[in-house]
Amino acid sequence: MHQQGGTIREVLESIASRGYVLPAIQREFVWRPEQICNLFDSVMQGYPFGEFMFWRVEAQNASKYRWYDFVREYHQRDSPHCPELGPIYDKPLTAVLDGQQRLTAFNIGLRGSMAIKLPYKRWSSSDAFPKRVLALDLLAPPDPDEEGSRYVFEFVNEDRIGLRDNHLWFRVSDIMSFQTENPAPDMLDWISDVDLDTAQQRLAFRTLNRLHQAMCVEPVVAYYEEKSQDVERVLNIFIRCNSGGTTLSYSNLLLSIAVSQWDNLDARSEVHGLVDDMNSVRPELRFNADFVLKAGLMLTDIASVGFKVENFTHDNMTILEKNWPNICQALLETVELVDSFGFDSRTIQATNSLLPIAYYLYLKGAPRDFESGDRFLDDRRAIRGWLTRSILKESGIWGSGLDTLLTALREVIRNSGGSTFPASELRRVMAQRGKTLDFAEEEIEDLADMRLGDRRMFPLLTMLFPHLQSRDGSDIDHVFPKSRFTSSRLKNADVPEDQIEGFRDGCDRLANLQLLDRSVNNEKRATLPADWLDAHCPDDQARQVYCDRHLLGDVPRAIKDFANYYDTRRQKLRNRIADLVNAV
C-alpha cells in the first residue's frame, strides 16, 4: 500500500526507538560522504528523493528473524557494520526493504558522525580516521541559476563548527533540538552568538529556517508498505526492488539470500567478521564479502563456483554453514601464507587467484606448519611459483571465464587428493582454457626489462631470489643508488653526454634492482655497491658469496662503468627468468 506523510525527523525518531529496523538480508552501508551531502542538498531544494519500501512485521513474528540497527557513528575501519539488535519479542516492527542507504545517510547526518580514512595515512593509525560531523554553511548564498548543488554541506571536524574564514558552519544534527512548532527563538539564539552583520544574519536565518522546514516540518517521506508475513514473498520483493540498481551487486543480493537461510550461525556477522580478520592480516589486499562468498562456494564443492541463484538453495547454504569453521581456517591460512610471501595489492590485483590455494589448504585441513618439514616447504615453493607465474602474466589469467576456470581447477586439486599442490597439472588445465602460464621469448625479454613501479616487480624478484626473503620484510633496492643518476652527478662522474639518458633509463630497471632485508636496505642507502661490499664483506670469499647470492657479478667501482655492468647482469637475470618461468 502506497502512503504519503511523515517528516524526516519523525522517521529518525522511529529509528532511535527501534520502530524502524533492518532485516538480515540488507547489505552494509556503502555511501560516500559526498553522496550524503548531495542527498541533504536535494531535500533542501525540495527535490523528490525516492519512495521507501517497508515491511510491516507483526508483533508475534518479530522474534523469528534477526534484526539490525542503522549505522549512526560510522567508522570506516572500526565500525562499518550495522549493529545487531538481538532478539525482539512481542513488538511490531517496520523493516526497511528499500531505502536503507538514504535512511542511514539521514541518521548519520542528523544524529551521528563519519570517520573516513585520510589519503596517504596508514590503516593502522588512529589519526587516519578523524571523526567528522555533517555541517551546513549558513553564509553560502544559494544560487537559483546554478546547476546541481545549491547548499554547501560538508563533513567537518568539530572544531570547525562556527564562524571560520567567512564560512558559518552549523552542525546539522543540532536542528533536531530546535522546537518543531516555533523554532525561531532557537535559531536566533544560535545566530546571535556569532559576530555577524545584519545581511549575514538574515542569510544565516533563511538558510537555517530552510533546513528546519526540510527536516522537521515538511512531510516529504513517501513509502510503500508490505504487510504480508510470508518471508519468501518479502525476499522476492527485496530482490526485485534491488536487482535493477547498479550500486547493489548481484553478489550482494545472493549474500542476502544466504544470510536468510543459515539456521544456527548469524551469517551476516560471520561473513563480515571473517573479512575483518583477513584484512587484519594483510589490510592492503582489501578482502570483501564477495570474496568470502565465492570462497564458500568453491571450498564446499557446491555444483559450480558461479554467483547463480540455484547455488544458493537452503541445502547448499546448510552445507556452507556446517563447514564454516573449516572455511574460515583455510582462508585465514591462505592470507597468512600470501602475507609471508610479502605480496599485497601492489602485486595481487585479483584476489580470486588465491581461491585454488585456499581450496588446497581446505582439503589438507589448513596445516599451520608451512615453515617446517620438507613436504610443507615443497608445497610452499610450489604454491608460490604457481601464484607468481599467474601474477607475472599480463594477459589476465583471472579475468574473463573466471567461474569455469575456478571450477576446473577445483576438480584438479580434488582429484590430486590434497597430498601435494598440483602445480604442473593446474598449468596444463589452464593452458587448455587459453590461460597458459608458459612464457614466450618476447614475454621473457619484457620481464628482463621491467621497470620499478610495475606491480609484477616484487613477485618477480622473489621468484628470482626466494632465499633472500626475510621474515622482518624485504625491500626492493637499487644496486647503484638512484640518487647517483641525476644528470649533474653523472656528468661529474665522467659519463659521456650521449650515454646519460641510457644510464638514467637503466636506473629503475630490473638489472639495477635487488631484494634486500629491510634493515640492510636502510643501512646501505646511497652507498655505491663496491664501497658497501668493502665495508660489509670481510674477505674476498665473503664478497664472492654475497655477489653470487644476488647475481651481481663483478661490481665496478665507478658509476661510469654502469652500462657494461647493466648489460651483463641483465643477461644473467634474463637467463634465470627463462629457466624459472617455464620450469615444469
Side-chain angles (χ1 to χ4, degrees):
M1 180 184 300
H2 292 271
Q3 300 186 44
Q4 297 287 332
T7 66
I8 293 171
R9 177 176 185 161
E10 290 169 343
V11 170
L12 293 185
E13 288 172 347
S14 293
I15 289 175
S17 64
R18 296 180 179 175
Y20 288 127
V21 297
L22 295 172
I25 56 177
Q26 276 285 12
R27 56 178 167 159
E28 296 296 325
F29 182 64
V30 296
W31 272 22
R32 302 181 303 277
E34 56 267 27
Q35 290 176 284
I36 299 178
C37 294
N38 289 337
L39 175 63
F40 274 81
D41 176 74
S42 295
V43 177
M44 289 275 282
Q45 294 193 59
Y47 294 160
F49 54 90
E51 187 178 64
F52 299 107
M53 176 166 285
F54 298 148
W55 173 31
R56 182 67 174 175
V57 182
E58 301 296 342
Q60 65 270 23
N61 293 324
S63 62
K64 294 180 180 180
Y65 311 108
R66 290 189 177 97
W67 305 110
Y68 292 80
D69 200 0
F70 290 81
V71 172
R72 178 178 174 180
E73 306 290 344
Y74 179 86
H75 192 291
Q76 189 178 11
R77 182 193 64 193
D78 297 341
S79 185
H81 306 311
C82 301
E84 186 177 2
L85 290 175
I88 298 178
Y89 300 100
D90 300 323
K91 177 184 178 180
L93 301 171
T94 298
V96 177
L97 297 181
D98 187 36
Q100 176 207 358
Q101 302 297 315
R102 287 166 287 159
L103 289 178
T104 304
F106 286 132
N107 201 42
I108 291 173
L110 288 163
R111 297 179 64 223
S113 64
M114 240 184 162
I116 301 293
K117 179 182 172 295
L118 296 174
Y120 312 115
K121 292 281 190 177
R122 296 180 65 87
W123 278 84
S124 59
S125 171
S126 58
D127 295 336
F129 300 89
K131 178 181 177 179
R132 291 174 173 172
V133 296
L134 184 64
L136 171 63
D137 183 5
L138 301 183
L139 296 184
D143 184 356
D145 298 323
E146 182 181 348
E147 294 184 2
S149 299
R150 291 177 56 197
Y151 295 91
V152 178
F153 287 92
E154 187 176 327
F155 279 90
V156 303
N157 295 336
E158 289 275 3
D159 58 9
R160 286 184 61 192
I161 298 300
L163 187 62
R164 298 287 185 275
D165 300 324
N166 297 320
H167 298 279
L168 180 56
W169 292 108
F170 175 79
R171 187 190 294 103
V172 173
S173 61
D174 287 347
I175 204 70
M176 300 287 282
S177 65
F178 288 6
Q179 292 292 324
T180 302
E181 299 298 330
N182 184 23
D186 294 328
M187 297 180 190
L188 292 174
D189 284 346
W190 195 93
I191 293 171
S192 64
D193 289 337
V194 185
D195 184 17
L196 302 174
D197 60 35
T198 302
Q200 289 175 323
Q201 288 180 348
R202 289 174 179 169
L203 174 58
F205 184 85
R206 286 198 303 270
T207 305
L208 196 53
N209 186 61
R210 177 63 200 134
L211 176 66
H212 183 267
Q213 290 288 314
M215 302 298 151
C216 303
V217 178
E218 296 172 356
V220 294
V221 176
Y223 62 92
Y224 170 86
E225 186 174 66
E226 173 61 42
K227 295 185 177 181
S228 171
Q229 302 302 291
D230 181 358
V231 70
E232 293 296 331
R233 171 179 167 82
V234 172
L235 183 59
N236 287 330
I237 290 173
F238 175 79
I239 294 174
R240 185 68 61 89
C241 287
N242 288 282
S243 61
T246 56
T247 302
L248 182 60
S249 71
Y250 196 58
S251 59
N252 288 137
L253 293 172
L254 295 176
L255 177 57
S256 299
I257 297 174
V259 163
S260 68
Q261 298 191 75
W262 282 29
D263 295 324
N264 300 308
L265 297 175
D266 180 351
R268 184 190 186 99
S269 298
E270 292 290 336
V271 168
H272 289 297
L274 177 57
V275 169
D276 291 343
D277 289 343
M278 293 165 64
N279 284 328
S280 69
V281 176
R282 176 56 80 171
E284 296 86 353
L285 283 174
R286 302 305 307 277
F287 292 103
N288 55 31
D290 282 16
F291 176 83
V292 171
L293 191 63
K294 188 173 284 290
L297 295 176
M298 177 135 181
L299 271 57
T300 53
D301 285 315
I302 291 175
S304 71
V305 184
F307 281 152
K308 301 176 182 178
V309 174
E310 57 263 31
N311 285 338
F312 287 79
T313 64
H314 185 270
D315 288 344
N316 284 344
M317 292 305 98
T318 299
I319 295 172
L320 194 65
E321 183 180 14
K322 179 181 178 181
N323 291 278
W324 184 248
N326 293 331
I327 293 171
C328 293
Q329 185 180 9
L331 289 179
L332 287 171
E333 286 289 334
T334 301
V335 180
E336 290 170 1
L337 181 60
V338 172
D339 178 61
S340 74
F341 296 159
F343 293 172
D344 56 24
S345 60
R346 295 169 299 177
T347 52
I348 298 179
Q349 293 191 336
T351 53
N352 286 319
S353 62
L354 307 183
L355 290 176
I357 301 172
Y359 183 71
Y360 175 70
L361 297 182
Y362 179 80
L363 291 183
K364 288 181 74 75
R368 293 186 177 274
D369 46 4
F370 259 99
E371 300 300 328
S372 63
D374 292 340
R375 182 161 61 90
F376 294 141
L377 290 177
D378 288 343
D379 263 349
R380 179 185 172 88
R381 283 191 289 266
I383 291 171
R384 183 175 60 191
W386 174 83
L387 178 60
T388 301
R389 288 184 178 93
S390 77
I391 293 171
L392 295 179
K393 274 288 182 178
E394 279 282 85
S395 56
I397 296 294
W398 306 106
S400 60
L402 174 65
D403 292 342
T404 56
L405 176 63
L406 288 174
T407 303
L409 298 183
R410 180 176 65 180
E411 182 179 358
V412 169
I413 298 170
R414 183 172 60 245
N415 292 339
S416 74
S419 56
T420 56
F421 187 75
S424 297
E425 185 62 16
L426 289 175
R427 290 177 62 183
R428 184 186 67 79
V429 171
M430 293 172 74
Q432 291 175 348
R433 285 161 173 76
K435 306 282 188 177
T436 180
L437 295 185
D438 292 330
F439 288 75
E441 190 70 24
E442 58 271 19
E443 291 178 290
I444 294 172
E445 294 295 331
D446 173 67
L447 293 175
D449 286 326
M450 189 184 297
R451 296 186 68 90
L452 184 65
D454 192 307
R455 65 177 177 80
R456 301 171 296 165
M457 180 60 78
F458 186 81
L460 177 59
L461 284 170
T462 61
M463 172 178 271
L464 289 167
F465 306 104
H467 52 285
L468 297 179
Q469 286 184 271
S470 168
R471 296 297 298 177
D472 296 326
S474 300
D475 286 337
I476 299 176
D477 172 68
H478 290 81
V479 178
F480 280 83
K482 186 179 180 67
S483 60
R484 304 280 182 152
F485 285 84
T486 65
S487 296
S488 59
R489 298 193 74 172
L490 290 173
K491 288 179 182 178
N492 292 336
D494 297 326
V495 176
E497 184 77 30
D498 60 348
Q499 294 184 28
I500 288 179
E501 191 60 35
F503 274 51
R504 289 173 57 82
D505 178 71
C507 170
D508 284 336
R509 294 191 183 274
L510 177 66
N512 191 42
L513 301 175
Q514 61 181 337
L515 205 59
L516 283 186
D517 180 279
R518 188 159 294 154
S519 59
V520 176
N521 187 32
N522 290 334
E523 183 181 340
K524 178 176 177 289
R525 294 188 180 274
T527 308
L528 285 171
D531 295 337
W532 190 86
L533 288 169
D534 288 344
H536 289 80
C537 296
D539 51 46
D540 290 343
Q541 182 179 359
R543 185 188 188 100
Q544 188 63 49
V545 169
Y546 182 91
C547 290
D548 290 345
R549 281 172 57 83
H550 292 264
L551 212 67
L552 295 179
D554 295 326
V555 180
R557 294 201 164 273
I559 197 171
K560 67 178 181 179
D561 298 319
F562 173 75
N564 291 333
Y565 170 79
Y566 177 93
D567 290 341
T568 301
R569 188 167 189 252
R570 182 197 178 280
Q571 187 60 39
K572 291 180 180 178
L573 290 168
R574 182 250 172 245
N575 293 340
R576 179 173 288 186
I577 291 171
D579 291 340
L580 291 173
V581 296
N582 289 327
V584 178

